[in-house]
Amino acid sequence: MKLFKFFQYAYLVFSIVFFYNVVSVYMKEGTLDIASLLLAAAALFMFFFRKRFNKKIENKDDN
């Protein structure tokens, strides 16, 4: 179960990296990198989705 929690936070790290990439490209070139922005949003969504899913599994195991 600890491995699942590791991947949950890996999604959060990837989201931060992609958001940093979007901001740095925007500051240098003045263009918005849509692909990185979408990847950051997807990684952030997956973090919250996995967090909720893991909580459901933990509650199921407790019962």
Side-chain angles (χ1 to χ4, degrees), residues 4 8 11 46-55:
F4 292 127
Q8 171 184 332
Y11 283 120
M46 285 301 296
F47 167 74
F48 287 113
F49 178 78
R50 295 298 295 179
K51 186 174 181 180
R52 183 174 174 214
F53 183 76
N54 287 338
K55 189 175 277 192

Side-chain angles (χ1 to χ4, degrees), residues 17-31:
V17 168
F18 284 125
F19 273 127
Y20 175 77
N21 185 26
V22 169
V23 170
S24 66
V25 167
Y26 184 73
M27 295 302 265
K28 283 183 184 177
E29 300 173 9
T31 60

